[in-house]
């Protein structure tokens, strides 16, 4: 029994790790000590040396999205990031990509922020129907109904989940900023 236990622990220490297409692969000669590992044969100590198990751990792979049709980042962030099955779009101020200036008034600012988002999604050949969650930052919730009616022009049912919060101030004295999460339909 003592020898069998020592053999098992010796095998556990003999793990081989490598990567294939960004996936971590671990090969070990016994798997009975971790239920996440599936065994491909007998768990009998006499047959342990013949057992091989593979545990796959996805590594976080991310890709930046950059659209020339949306304002360029002014700091250490990306317009958007693809990570697995999701796309994360950074908060979009209502800046024109051509002039780098704010649109005037809440109506134009709301449309400009949504158009910037639309342009970033189009870089990945996606539309607004891919959006699953938005967060809207506003400096004055008095404008909520105006923003809501314009927002409704860009989305169809089922509408994305959404949070809307009032903040004290936004960069460049913008009235609105919108960020979102979209489903990367090309990965499904």
């Amino acid at each position: 029994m003592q020898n069998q236990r020592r053999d098992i622990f010796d095998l556990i220490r003999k793990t081989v790790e490598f990567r294939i297409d960004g996936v971590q692969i671990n090969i070990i000669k016994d798997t009975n000590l971790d239920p996440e590992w599936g065994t491909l044969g007998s768990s009998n100590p006499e047959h342990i040396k013949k057992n091989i198990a593979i545990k796959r751990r996805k590594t976080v792979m991310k890709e930046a999205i950059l659209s020339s049709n949306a304002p360029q980042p002014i700091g250490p962030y990306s317009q958007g990031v693809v990570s697995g099955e999701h796309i994360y779009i950074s908060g979009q101020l209502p800046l024109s990509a051509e002039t780098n200036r704010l649109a005037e008034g809440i109506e134009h600012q709301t449309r400009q922020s949504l158009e910037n988002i639309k342009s970033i999604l189009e870089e990945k050949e996606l539309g607004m129907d891919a959006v699953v969650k938005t967060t809207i930052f506003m400096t004055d919730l008095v404008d909520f109904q105006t923003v809501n009616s314009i927002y409704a022009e860009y989305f169809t049912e089922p509408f994305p989940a959404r949070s809307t919060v009032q903040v004290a101030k936004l960069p460049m004295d913008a009235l609105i900023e919108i960020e979102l999460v979209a489903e990367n339909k090309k990965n499904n």
Side-chain angles (χ1 to χ4, degrees), residues 19-38:
R19 292 183 187 282
I20 298 176
D21 295 329
V23 176
Q24 175 88 25
I25 306 293
N26 295 322
I27 298 179
I28 193 168
K29 302 266 183 171
D30 183 46
T31 61
N32 294 327
L33 301 178
D34 184 347
E36 272 187 60
W37 293 69

Side-chain angles (χ1 to χ4, degrees), residues 14-78:
K14 295 177 184 174
T15 303
V16 178
E17 295 183 12
F18 58 94
R19 292 183 187 282
I20 298 176
D21 295 329
V23 176
Q24 175 88 25
I25 306 293
N26 295 322
I27 298 179
I28 193 168
K29 302 266 183 171
D30 183 46
T31 61
N32 294 327
L33 301 178
D34 184 347
E36 272 187 60
W37 293 69
T39 341
L40 301 174
S42 171
S43 59
N44 181 327
E46 298 301 317
H47 299 113
I48 287 175
K49 293 179 183 175
K50 296 178 184 174
N51 292 344
I52 296 176
I54 298 175
K55 181 178 183 181
R56 294 170 45 124
R57 291 183 296 188
K58 285 188 177 180
T59 57
V60 177
M61 303 292 290
K62 60 184 181 178
E63 168 195 349
I65 304 171
L66 186 63
S67 171
S68 59
N69 296 320
Q72 300 306 296
I74 56 172
Y77 64 92
S78 300

Side-chain angles (χ1 to χ4, degrees), residues 89-133:
I89 306 292
S90 294
Q92 292 299 300
L93 291 172
L95 293 171
S96 163
E98 297 166 2
T99 65
N100 213 34
R101 293 189 174 196
L102 283 176
E104 294 286 329
I106 192 64
E107 296 90 353
H108 290 89
Q109 286 197 13
T110 302
R111 286 187 199 287
Q112 186 64 59
S113 289
L114 290 166
E115 288 297 323
N116 292 344
I117 287 167
K118 196 171 163 184
S119 294
I120 296 166
L121 288 171
E122 286 171 355
E123 285 296 314
K124 297 314 269 174
E125 300 176 8
L126 296 171
M128 298 296 269
D129 62 324
V131 177
V132 295
K133 169 72 169 84

